[in-house]
Amino acid sequence: SVATSVGMMNLLFCWFGGLPMCHGAGGLAGQHRFGARTNLSIIVLGAIKLLLGVSMSGLFLQMFRYFPQGILAALL
């Protein structure tokens, strides 16, 4: 059923300019590969990303001004 839903999403949204999607199993496999074994690892990762976003948002905004808008749109 997972493969079917991913296939349906990709077939449907490609006509509207959507990028290929998945259910995120690649990120979970990568986290497990680098040692994440409990729910605490996800909480720590979220806290680090939140702190970086709050403390360095001005720097990130300055960096994004130099990126082409097409690349930023594709990342969204």
Side-chain angles (χ1 to χ4, degrees):
S1 70
V2 172
T4 303
S5 66
V6 170
M8 295 296 283
M9 285 190 306
N10 289 328
L11 287 174
L12 177 68
F13 291 116
C14 71
W15 299 106
F16 302 105
L19 297 173
M21 296 178 272
C22 71
H23 285 295
L28 184 60
Q31 291 170 4
H32 188 270
R33 172 71 173 96
F34 286 106
R37 298 294 187 268
T38 66
N39 293 338
L40 180 62
S41 63
I42 303 302
I43 294 171
V44 170
L45 178 63
I48 290 171
K49 288 181 179 182
L50 186 64
L51 283 172
L52 281 174
V54 169
S55 65
M56 302 183 74
S57 60
L59 176 65
F60 291 144
L61 285 174
Q62 288 177 358
M63 285 184 351
F64 287 147
R65 288 188 183 127
Y66 296 107
F67 276 78
Q69 288 185 353
I71 291 175
L72 293 175
L75 290 174
L76 286 176

